[in-house]
Structures are given as C-alpha cells and as structure tokens.
Amino acid sequence: MCGIFGYYNYKVTRDRKAILEFLFTGLRRLEYRGYDSAGISIDSDTVTHNGAPAATGSANGVVHNTTNGSTNGTAATKSPIVVEDGSSTYTCTPIVIKSSGKIDALVDQAYTELRNGDVDLHTNFDSHAGIAHTRWATHGQPSTINCHPHVSDDKHEFVVVHNGIITNYKPLKDFLVKQKMTFESETDTEVIPKLCMYVYNNLTEPLAFSELIMEVMTQLEGAYALLIKSSHYPGELVACKRGSPLILGIKETPVHNLKRTSSSLISDLREIRKRPAGEAFEAFVASDASAVVEHTKRVIVLEDNDVVHLCKGAYGIFNVGHSDRSLAVPRVLQTLEMEVNHIMKGGYNHFMQKEIHEQPESITETMRGRVKFVPSPNKVVDPYQTRRITLGGLSDHLSSIRRGRRMVFVACGTSFHACLACRQTVESLTDLPVSLELASDLLDRRSPIFRDDMCVFVSQSGETADTMHALHYAKDRGALCIGITNTVGSAIARHTDCGVHINAGCEIGVASTKAYTSQMVVITMMALALSEDSIAKRPKRDAVIDALGSLPAKLRRVLRLDAQMQQLAEELKHETSLLVFGRGYNYATALEAALKVKEVALMHSEGILAGEMKHGPLALVDENMPIIVIATRDRMHAKMQSVIQQLRARSARLIVLCNEGDDAIADLCSPKCRLIQVPEVDECVQAIVNIVPLQLLSYHLTLLRGHNVDQPRNLAKSVTVTEEG
C-alpha cells in the first residue's frame, strides 16, 4: 500500500537539490498509494579517512527522535563511518528526513532542516543513491517516528524503505532486542535495518551488498519491496521484492553516449569498487511505472525474490530462490506504453474528475482492435463463422474454458462489483454456471476449487494481495487461471495462464472509475467470445456488440448531467446516510454507487438488493432518508416500478435513475421525486451507462463536504498487503 522510490546516478552529475527534486517528484507520483507520512534519505558530503569533509557546508545525518508525531526541526550531526573503496577511504553517512502528513509537508520540512543544518544544496554528486517513501500505515499510527526510512542505529549504517508487511517481525524483534538493539518505532519495518546491521557485524568474510541483503531476505517472511542504502557501501543501492510490486527504470542519454552495463556474477559486484569505473547511467526504482515514465520508458519488472544491485555504473539482478544465487538472472527490458500526460490532470481539478470524463475514450481503447462492430459485407462468408470478438490473450484457451465445470470470478471491492454486474451476461451467453468470490472470503473459507474450474481474477492494479493469494490457492488446485488487469507485467498478469488487459490507461484517483467500466466491457467481451460457437446465441450477441459500439457516444451524453449531479449533491451534502436500491444487472450499480459515496464523500451509504427491501431495509425508510432507486428498462423494470410504489407509500425521499423517455416511471414518481435520466442501451451494458452519473454525484458530494477527492481518508489505491501479509 505504500510507495517507494529510489534514484541512482553514476557519472551523471546532479547537485543535492536536483536529487531531492527527483525524490519528491517520485513520491508525488506515488502518493495515491499512501499519504499519511513520508520520508527521504540522501547522502551527506563525502568524508575522507581523517574525518575531514571533502566539501564544506554539510551535516552528516538528520534524524528525528520524537514520540508525539511531530519533528523538532533540528539537524543532528553524526560521527562518520569510515570504509574502504579501492585505494581511497571515505564515507557518506545518510541523511534521513521524515514528516507526518503529505508530501508537501515533507518538502517544506526537508528544505528547512537542511538549511538549518548548513547543508549545501548545490553540492554536486557524480554518484549518489537516494531513497524515498510515502506511507499508508499498517503498524503504528501515522507519525514521524513510525514513518520511513527506518535506520539501524543513530549512525545510519543501514537505511531502509519498505512497502508490505513483515509477518514474522515479532520473533525477529525479540531476537534483536536480546542482541542489545534498541527499537524506537511501532513498525514491523524497523527490524530490517537492524537485522542488516546484525548480519553485517557478524560477517566472517566481506560480502557484496546484494549478498548481505540476500542473507537478510532468508530471515524475512511476508510481502515486501525494499530499497536499502548503507554507509558501509557508499554510492550503492540494493532493491529487492517478494510479493509487493517493484520496477527498475534505466535511462540512457544519447548526448553522453550512455550504455547500460550489467553484471553476470555477484563476484563482479563484490570486486567492482576496486576496478575502473563503469559507463555512466541513471536508474529509477519504484513501486509503480507512474513514478518512472517521465524519466525513462525502459523498465524491468522485477519478479519475486529478485535482488537488484546498483554499483559504480553497473547493475546485477539476482534471485534468492535460485540454486546458485551468485548467477545473475535474465530479465526482459520492456518499453512502457504509458505517456507522461496520462499521469497529469490535464486541465481538470482532480484525477477522479479527469478519469470520470475520460470514460468514453477509455472504453474505446478497451475495445480497440478487439471488436468488429460492422459485420462483414461479403455475403459469401458464413456470418456464423465470422469472428466479431478477438481477445488474443484468451484465443488459445477458449475451447478449454467452454468445457469447464463453472466460471469462478474472484476479486475485491470495485472489481468484485464489475464481476457482479456482468454475471448475468456471462451466464446467459455461455450457459456456464458462474460463482462470485470475494478473494479474502474465498481464502477464509478455503472454498473447494476443482481442476475443471475456470477461475477469473480481476484487479485494476494486478497486485491486489488478497486476489494474488487466491490465485496461488487456485493454481495449487489445478484450476485454469485467467487474469483481467489494467497493468501490463503485473503479478496477476504474470502468474495467470491467460488473460486480458483492460487498457483503460493509468488510473491515479484512489476511487476507481474508468477501470470499473472497462472491466465490465472486458468481461462482456469475454462472454461474447465464449459464445461465438453458438448459432442460437447469435442474435443476442449481435445486439450486445452493437450496444458496445454505441457506448462511447452514450457516455458523452451522460457526462452532460454533470451540472445536474452537482445540484443534487448540494441538496445531499448535509445528509448522514444514503440508500441505493438496485436489482438484476443494477444490483452491482447500487453497491458500486454506495461504495463511491462511502470512500470519497465519507458519508454512510448502503447498496441494497431491491428484492430484499421487505426483509429489513424497509424499516429505514422515512421522509428524511434520501434513497436512490435505479429503474432503467430491463427485465426488472416492472419490479422496480413496484419498489418505487412501495417507497412512495412510506413517504420516501426518492431520487430515481431511469431511461430517457420512460413515461411509466415519470408518471409514477411524484413531483417531489428527482429524476436522473440516462440514454437507453441493451440491458447487458446498461449498468456501464448507469454508474457514470452516480460517480459524478460522489465526486461533487466529496468537494461540497470538504474532503480530498483523490486521497480519501485511511485508503490507498493498490491494496498490496493483507492481515496475513
């Protein structure tokens, strides 16, 4: 859930201020992953063997020893650590600055403390490793003392930033306490730098930095991505991961004729500091591509147990799980398809607003090249043999899926609602039984999964921890595993047997909007592809495909309701509760609308299956409770009219979402009822249209209630940790 970022430069001269700005910018791009506290670590000035600084105006370390969550604004000078580097002897003791609150608070504090500590921001570094962290608290309240980076001791011999959870931190902490080590924070992370120092102090022979970290990794359990720097290994940076996402970006500058260099043996890195320098280059290590894309599009997606060692213009990638850890492992250098403008607001006030309004384009991209909207005009071709849906990631497995016992959709949160919205479509087009599972509940129950089950794992990030654990659970039982994600190279994309990328584009707002509608489009396309061998289903398939083709235009019309939704939000902004009733395809719409209001507007809201209204929820209805009823034209239309009548009989305060030109609903509603009218489309995709005005409503409610739209309280975008780690 946290975001980590590292910047490494070698033979690319940067002053301290430029390095700080790299780190701060990286954190801003990752702030959606956590935003209750933040911190950075950079180098102090080089100190020679006699203790004299190689450059003036420097503090050798900054750390905060506070217990109340606030900083004292002072920079404390620490004794230098002297290490050998070939023929020279020097140290760069890491400076550590932490702050509770958001990134801007850290920026202000960092410059204030460095200025107060007489640290020269214009000192140039030809080689430097800086690390940064933005936190979503799991162990210990959001406070300065609990936020990262964490250090091994007051000399900062090892400095660590961490995304994930160390599940065995308590026995490790107990062991380290017995070794006379003192802990200051409540976090699980603090055991890592102290364990690094313990291993280092007990070495019988010198080890490369990456070898040391691999020894530490063998003692850690749980999910983690780590960036580690050390005064014992100045100018070096090590990154490693298990479970949590991490990518390595490599930048080449043609002006300097930079070349990537890599090491095939860990012994190369052990001895590299005593050899001539390597080629110049820069590297960026981050939890997500959004922090890297503005610097370079050339990235390596790290796999579980990978360890990256950056040292003197070279890098090596090793794997703890391999039989010979000293051999580098091959990893593919990929080119990001993301553009810089994808991570900018582009004239909108907030990312959520931008992403809601991007939905006509995002679902177009989801369908691009995959759907033939106009049937072939060649009458010689048998229309029943002409493919209108092409999903390359599934093409080799369609026959196996059709033969399956059942389809099991596994997801969390908004992704689960996308599966629920499409369940009826999948069942009606494929004639396969469909079950839905919340990933955490599937694991809690240890639900039976069989070899002939087709398990579909849906996740925007592709890194959702519960969904990943459920994926491993299903794979262990021999099921065919299918992934639906928005992130190329994500853990779910790599570990499933086949799958589809939704291609919705980068989504930064914590509340998912465009990814939700694109997920529904992909699941619908999957159902269409699976039913292509059925002549009986052909008329329905053609109707759904035509409806998909009309969606972008219909969504543009819906977005014109923005002002109306803002006016409705004005009427609701002081309410404490909101009920949303839906049925059939729109039960998922009710759940998703209620979730959006909950997570960003911080208002209690509940999505209710309208068929269950008389079994309890009706007791909540009175003239003051605002109730949204979703009653668009589908096979539940008559039943939803009955629901409206029952609610009116109890003087309910109704807001009815219906189709344009639906006179039956208009006549049924009293003058006091508010109508939200949306374009009509085939019932299989009507839920995609219906959710958009409710997304707009939640957006405006949030602003009017004075809350942060893109960074709601206590939440983060990618849930990469679980209670079990």
Side-chain angles (χ1 to χ4, degrees), residues 513-526:
T513 51
K514 66 178 182 177
Y516 175 66
T517 50
S518 286
Q519 285 171 341
M520 287 193 283
V521 169
V522 163
I523 297 171
T524 302
M525 289 194 299
M526 186 168 72

Side-chain angles (χ1 to χ4, degrees), residues 561-575:
L561 298 173
D562 194 10
Q564 182 183 341
M565 292 302 100
Q566 185 175 13
Q567 183 182 359
L568 179 58
E570 283 278 2
E571 298 175 14
L572 298 176
K573 65 182 180 182
H574 297 303
E575 300 298 331

Side-chain angles (χ1 to χ4, degrees), residues 146-205:
N146 285 329
C147 76
H148 303 213
H150 285 286
V151 298
S152 56
D153 60 347
D154 62 358
K155 297 178 181 179
H156 304 176
E157 294 183 42
F158 291 90
V159 184
V160 172
V161 293
H162 168 217
N163 170 32
I165 288 181
I166 304 301
T167 55
N168 66 330
Y169 82 98
K170 288 184 179 178
L172 287 175
K173 184 175 181 177
D174 292 342
F175 170 78
L176 293 168
V177 167
K178 292 178 181 177
Q179 307 304 314
K180 310 301 183 186
M181 293 191 179
T182 303
F183 286 78
E184 297 180 345
S185 76
E186 303 170 74
T187 69
D188 55 327
T189 302
E190 195 178 0
V191 301
I192 302 172
K194 295 186 185 300
L195 185 59
C196 290
M197 186 170 71
Y198 173 80
V199 173
Y200 182 84
N201 290 340
N202 287 276
L203 290 177
T204 57
E205 59 181 359

Side-chain angles (χ1 to χ4, degrees), residues 438-450:
L438 286 165
S440 57
D441 187 51
L442 172 72
L443 295 167
D444 289 345
R445 290 169 18 238
R446 312 301 290 178
S447 179
I449 297 290
F450 303 99

Side-chain angles (χ1 to χ4, degrees), residues 560-631:
R560 296 173 194 163
L561 298 173
D562 194 10
Q564 182 183 341
M565 292 302 100
Q566 185 175 13
Q567 183 182 359
L568 179 58
E570 283 278 2
E571 298 175 14
L572 298 176
K573 65 182 180 182
H574 297 303
E575 300 298 331
T576 56
S577 271
L578 176 69
L579 302 182
V580 189
F581 284 94
R583 191 165 186 163
Y585 290 99
N586 284 306
Y587 176 40
T589 307
L591 291 174
E592 177 62 14
L595 177 62
K596 286 293 159 283
V597 172
K598 263 186 283 202
E599 63 184 350
V600 293
L602 309 187
M603 177 194 294
H604 171 260
S605 54
E606 188 173 351
I608 299 173
L609 182 64
E612 292 294 299
M613 181 180 67
K614 295 185 290 295
H615 301 283
L618 202 57
L620 296 172
V621 176
D622 61 22
E623 67 276 7
N624 298 314
M625 173 71 75
I627 299 174
I628 297 175
V629 178
I630 305 167

